[in-house]
mmCIF file of all heavy atoms in Angstrom:
data_model
loop_
_atom_site.group_PDB
_atom_site.id
_atom_site.type_symbol
_atom_site.label_atom_id
_atom_site.label_comp_id
_atom_site.label_asym_id
_atom_site.label_seq_id
_atom_site.Cartn_x
_atom_site.Cartn_y
_atom_site.Cartn_z
ATOM 1 N N ALA A 3 49.332 -31.835 24.012
ATOM 2 C CA ALA A 3 48.042 -32.518 24.193
ATOM 3 C C ALA A 3 47.019 -31.678 23.434
ATOM 4 O O ALA A 3 47.136 -30.458 23.416
ATOM 5 C CB ALA A 3 47.692 -32.503 25.676
ATOM 6 N N ALA A 63 48.800 -47.318 -17.540
ATOM 7 C CA ALA A 63 49.332 -48.131 -18.653
ATOM 8 C C ALA A 63 48.440 -49.353 -18.878
ATOM 9 O O ALA A 63 48.137 -49.732 -20.001
ATOM 10 C CB ALA A 63 50.761 -48.571 -18.352
ATOM 11 N N ARG A 76 35.755 -37.670 -10.778
ATOM 12 C CA ARG A 76 36.232 -36.741 -9.738
ATOM 13 C C ARG A 76 36.105 -35.307 -10.184
ATOM 14 O O ARG A 76 35.740 -34.411 -9.402
ATOM 15 C CB ARG A 76 37.673 -37.084 -9.351
ATOM 16 C CG ARG A 76 37.787 -38.365 -8.567
ATOM 17 C CD ARG A 76 39.235 -38.733 -8.314
ATOM 18 N NE ARG A 76 39.924 -37.723 -7.503
ATOM 19 C CZ ARG A 76 41.250 -37.742 -7.303
ATOM 20 N NH1 ARG A 76 42.000 -38.675 -7.881
ATOM 21 N NH2 ARG A 76 41.827 -36.817 -6.554
ATOM 22 N N SER A 78 33.848 -34.160 -12.192
ATOM 23 C CA SER A 78 32.422 -33.781 -12.155
ATOM 24 C C SER A 78 32.004 -33.523 -10.708
ATOM 25 O O SER A 78 31.221 -32.616 -10.431
ATOM 26 C CB SER A 78 31.571 -34.893 -12.774
ATOM 27 O OG SER A 78 31.651 -36.073 -12.001
ATOM 28 N N ALA A 87 33.786 -22.321 3.780
ATOM 29 C CA ALA A 87 34.181 -21.140 4.586
ATOM 30 C C ALA A 87 35.674 -21.139 4.884
ATOM 31 O O ALA A 87 36.291 -20.073 5.013
ATOM 32 C CB ALA A 87 33.389 -21.129 5.900
ATOM 33 N N ASP A 110 42.133 -30.349 -6.579
ATOM 34 C CA ASP A 110 40.920 -29.607 -6.951
ATOM 35 C C ASP A 110 41.264 -28.127 -7.086
ATOM 36 O O ASP A 110 42.398 -27.718 -6.811
ATOM 37 C CB ASP A 110 39.801 -29.838 -5.908
ATOM 38 C CG ASP A 110 40.136 -29.288 -4.520
ATOM 39 O OD1 ASP A 110 40.615 -28.139 -4.419
ATOM 40 O OD2 ASP A 110 39.935 -30.022 -3.519
ATOM 41 N N ASP A 118 38.433 -16.333 -5.423
ATOM 42 C CA ASP A 118 37.433 -15.570 -6.217
ATOM 43 C C ASP A 118 36.256 -15.176 -5.317
ATOM 44 O O ASP A 118 35.842 -14.026 -5.276
ATOM 45 C CB ASP A 118 36.906 -16.430 -7.383
ATOM 46 C CG ASP A 118 38.005 -16.730 -8.403
ATOM 47 O OD1 ASP A 118 39.025 -16.016 -8.405
ATOM 48 O OD2 ASP A 118 37.817 -17.703 -9.185
ATOM 49 N N GLU A 124 43.876 -11.552 -8.321
ATOM 50 C CA GLU A 124 45.036 -12.448 -8.485
ATOM 51 C C GLU A 124 46.359 -11.724 -8.209
ATOM 52 O O GLU A 124 47.352 -12.340 -7.867
ATOM 53 C CB GLU A 124 45.038 -13.098 -9.851
ATOM 54 C CG GLU A 124 45.010 -12.142 -11.012
ATOM 55 C CD GLU A 124 44.661 -12.872 -12.324
ATOM 56 O OE1 GLU A 124 43.997 -13.939 -12.282
ATOM 57 O OE2 GLU A 124 45.099 -12.374 -13.391
ATOM 58 N N ASP A 128 49.761 -14.732 -3.917
ATOM 59 C CA ASP A 128 50.332 -15.786 -4.767
ATOM 60 C C ASP A 128 49.312 -16.893 -4.957
ATOM 61 O O ASP A 128 48.533 -17.195 -4.046
ATOM 62 C CB ASP A 128 51.594 -16.366 -4.098
ATOM 63 C CG ASP A 128 52.721 -15.318 -4.051
ATOM 64 O OD1 ASP A 128 52.663 -14.395 -4.887
ATOM 65 O OD2 ASP A 128 53.587 -15.404 -3.178
ATOM 66 N N LEU A 133 51.302 -29.211 -5.033
ATOM 67 C CA LEU A 133 52.379 -30.214 -4.994
ATOM 68 C C LEU A 133 52.095 -31.380 -5.934
ATOM 69 O O LEU A 133 53.010 -31.948 -6.531
ATOM 70 C CB LEU A 133 52.528 -30.782 -3.568
ATOM 71 C CG LEU A 133 53.080 -29.853 -2.502
ATOM 72 C CD1 LEU A 133 53.036 -30.568 -1.146
ATOM 73 C CD2 LEU A 133 54.513 -29.419 -2.831
ATOM 74 N N CYS A 142 50.221 -34.433 -22.470
ATOM 75 C CA CYS A 142 50.318 -35.421 -23.545
ATOM 76 C C CYS A 142 51.383 -36.460 -23.210
ATOM 77 O O CYS A 142 52.522 -36.112 -22.890
ATOM 78 C CB CYS A 142 50.661 -34.720 -24.868
ATOM 79 S SG CYS A 142 50.850 -35.882 -26.237
ATOM 80 N N HIS A 151 42.562 -28.436 -19.004
ATOM 81 C CA HIS A 151 41.708 -29.389 -19.738
ATOM 82 C C HIS A 151 40.444 -29.622 -18.927
ATOM 83 O O HIS A 151 40.477 -30.299 -17.904
ATOM 84 C CB HIS A 151 42.464 -30.704 -19.946
ATOM 85 C CG HIS A 151 41.723 -31.700 -20.803
ATOM 86 N ND1 HIS A 151 40.865 -32.643 -20.291
ATOM 87 C CD2 HIS A 151 41.690 -31.852 -22.152
ATOM 88 C CE1 HIS A 151 40.345 -33.359 -21.278
ATOM 89 N NE2 HIS A 151 40.829 -32.908 -22.411
ATOM 90 N N ASP A 156 35.127 -38.675 -22.274
ATOM 91 C CA ASP A 156 34.344 -39.829 -22.733
ATOM 92 C C ASP A 156 35.270 -41.045 -22.629
ATOM 93 O O ASP A 156 36.150 -41.255 -23.466
ATOM 94 C CB ASP A 156 33.901 -39.616 -24.184
ATOM 95 C CG ASP A 156 33.219 -40.880 -24.760
ATOM 96 O OD1 ASP A 156 33.118 -41.884 -24.015
ATOM 97 O OD2 ASP A 156 32.815 -40.840 -25.942
ATOM 98 N N ALA A 157 35.083 -41.797 -21.536
ATOM 99 C CA ALA A 157 35.981 -42.944 -21.292
ATOM 100 C C ALA A 157 35.324 -44.245 -21.729
ATOM 101 O O ALA A 157 35.680 -45.330 -21.264
ATOM 102 C CB ALA A 157 36.341 -43.002 -19.800
ATOM 103 N N GLY A 170 48.240 -35.660 -31.379
ATOM 104 C CA GLY A 170 47.290 -36.777 -31.380
ATOM 105 C C GLY A 170 47.588 -37.833 -30.328
ATOM 106 O O GLY A 170 46.914 -38.855 -30.233
ATOM 107 N N LEU A 184 57.673 -35.585 -7.686
ATOM 108 C CA LEU A 184 57.032 -34.284 -7.798
ATOM 109 C C LEU A 184 57.895 -33.407 -8.711
ATOM 110 O O LEU A 184 59.092 -33.658 -8.864
ATOM 111 C CB LEU A 184 56.923 -33.637 -6.412
ATOM 112 C CG LEU A 184 55.784 -34.095 -5.509
ATOM 113 C CD1 LEU A 184 55.919 -35.539 -5.085
ATOM 114 C CD2 LEU A 184 55.675 -33.201 -4.274
ATOM 115 N N PRO A 186 60.408 -30.965 -9.612
ATOM 116 C CA PRO A 186 61.510 -30.561 -8.727
ATOM 117 C C PRO A 186 61.456 -29.093 -8.292
ATOM 118 O O PRO A 186 61.726 -28.773 -7.141
ATOM 119 C CB PRO A 186 62.758 -30.871 -9.529
ATOM 120 C CG PRO A 186 62.341 -31.276 -10.891
ATOM 121 C CD PRO A 186 60.879 -31.550 -10.867
ATOM 122 N N VAL A 211 51.399 -39.251 3.154
ATOM 123 C CA VAL A 211 52.031 -39.268 1.832
ATOM 124 C C VAL A 211 53.259 -38.368 1.830
ATOM 125 O O VAL A 211 53.199 -37.205 2.223
ATOM 126 C CB VAL A 211 51.026 -38.837 0.745
ATOM 127 C CG1 VAL A 211 51.717 -38.623 -0.592
ATOM 128 C CG2 VAL A 211 49.951 -39.911 0.598
ATOM 129 N N GLY A 219 57.618 -30.910 9.386
ATOM 130 C CA GLY A 219 58.838 -31.220 10.140
ATOM 131 C C GLY A 219 59.993 -30.318 9.742
ATOM 132 O O GLY A 219 60.830 -29.961 10.575
ATOM 133 N N LEU A 246 44.369 -28.624 16.911
ATOM 134 C CA LEU A 246 42.961 -28.196 17.001
ATOM 135 C C LEU A 246 42.110 -29.325 16.436
ATOM 136 O O LEU A 246 42.185 -29.630 15.243
ATOM 137 C CB LEU A 246 42.757 -26.897 16.197
ATOM 138 C CG LEU A 246 43.628 -25.727 16.657
ATOM 139 C CD1 LEU A 246 43.483 -24.548 15.696
ATOM 140 C CD2 LEU A 246 43.260 -25.308 18.079
#
Side-chain angles (χ1 to χ4, degrees):
R76 289 175 62 189
S78 65
D110 65 46
D118 294 342
E124 57 194 25
D128 292 337
L133 290 175
C142 178
H151 185 269
D156 173 0
L184 280 66
V211 170
L246 301 173

